[in-house]
Amino acid sequence: EAGVAQSPRYKIIEKRQSVAFWCNPISGHATLYWYQQILGQGPKLLIQFQNNGVVDDSQLPKDRFSAERLKGVDSTLKIQPAKLEDSAVYLCASSPVTGGQETQYFGPGTRLLVL
Amino acid sequence: GNSVTQMEGPVTLSEEAFLTINCTYTATGYPSLFWYVQYPGEGLQLLLKATKADDKGSNKGFEATYRKETTSFHLEKGSVQVSDSAVYFCALTPNSGNTPLVFGKGTRLSVIA
């Protein structure tokens, strides 16, 4: 079974530019998460989707970050405009929905450097 | 709120040494507890989990026991190998359906031959 796919793996941009990240979850997984992992810290949730609906975006900086999951499969996370403090690894994870607490499966992440 | 505190790293051990990485948590209700591992250049992988008090999670020689009385989930391995070198993250979710993980800051382990 294919895992969670993310692209690009690395991105370097200048501040005030925009950037987009893509995630393809494991087939059949209804729940999708985006996490931000700043160097030396644990991942922190940005947004959670179930199918194509947003479950939790309370920690998403909505003045510059946006995310969508059209058709309940792939998802895109965008930053516009980027700031220096956005340098981090952006992790996508997915899990099935079966009524219990399901394991989350993570992609390899996109490493963003903002100069 | 929910939070996880794990021991600061880095931890450097010789091969075949005993490993303990401490993890304590604060949570309302009865969370599920996890250890994730991140090998160099790779994504996070689930190492083990426990969903209720006194449960023991185990995988690849690693073990952790869910201790409600001490709100702890310490990771142990009896004999580490060079291939265990990685960053280890303790995490929790509230035990109420598909909810986001709350992670500790991670502990980097280096095992030398």
Side-chain angles (χ1 to χ4, degrees):
Chain A
E1 179 181 78
V4 177
Q6 289 189 247
S7 68
R9 292 293 306 275
Y10 305 93
K11 190 76 177 176
I12 301 174
I13 62 173
E14 295 188 349
K15 60 183 179 183
R16 291 188 288 274
Q17 286 187 322
S18 62
V19 64
F21 314 128
W22 173 81
C23 172
N24 186 5
I26 292 173
S27 177
H29 282 193
T31 306
L32 185 148
Y33 308 83
W34 283 102
Y35 292 86
Q36 180 192 57
Q37 185 180 11
I38 292 173
L39 187 64
Q41 298 183 20
K44 288 187 169 61
L45 180 75
L46 289 174
I47 188 168
Q48 176 186 353
F49 293 93
Q50 184 160 319
N51 297 309
N52 60 352
V54 174
V55 175
D56 183 355
D57 64 356
S58 58
Q59 300 182 72
L60 187 73
K62 298 181 187 63
D63 58 332
R64 298 184 299 106
F65 286 64
S66 64
E68 60 184 11
R69 191 182 183 199
L70 299 176
K71 302 181 182 178
V73 182
D74 294 5
S75 177
T76 303
L77 176 70
K78 296 179 181 177
I79 308 176
Q80 183 179 6
K83 292 186 175 181
L84 296 178
E85 58 261 35
D86 298 331
S87 295
V89 177
Y90 291 84
L91 297 167
C92 179
S94 70
S95 64
V97 175
T98 59
Q101 183 55 55
E102 290 296 335
T103 297
Q104 296 181 26
Y105 297 87
F106 284 81
T110 295
R111 188 176 298 275
L112 173 68
L113 179 60
V114 182
L115 302 175
Chain B
N2 300 313
S3 66
V4 174
T5 302
Q6 61 183 107
M7 64 186 285
E8 299 273 336
V11 174
T12 303
L13 295 173
S14 297
E15 215 167 17
E16 299 183 5
F18 185 87
L19 168 71
T20 300
I21 301 178
N22 290 339
C23 171
T24 57
Y25 66 89
T26 301
T28 54
Y30 302 94
S32 293
L33 303 174
F34 304 81
W35 278 99
Y36 276 82
V37 59
Q38 190 170 37
Y39 297 103
E42 298 185 17
L44 284 165
Q45 301 174 26
L46 178 67
L47 181 59
L48 53 85
K49 69 178 183 181
T51 58
K52 62 182 187 297
D54 300 324
D55 268 3
K56 177 185 284 188
S58 61
N59 185 25
K60 300 182 181 180
F62 291 89
E63 293 183 339
T65 301
Y66 188 143
R67 301 285 188 201
K68 189 170 183 295
E69 63 276 13
T70 55
T71 61
S72 65
F73 193 55
H74 304 321
L75 182 68
E76 297 182 336
K77 187 174 185 182
S79 175
V80 294
Q81 305 300 312
V82 172
S83 56
D84 294 327
S85 298
V87 181
Y88 293 81
F89 291 91
C90 186
L92 68 80
T93 60
N95 205 9
S96 56
N98 272 17
T99 50
L101 288 157
V102 176
F103 286 91
K105 290 188 175 181
T107 303
R108 182 176 298 278
L109 170 66
S110 294
V111 181
I112 54 178

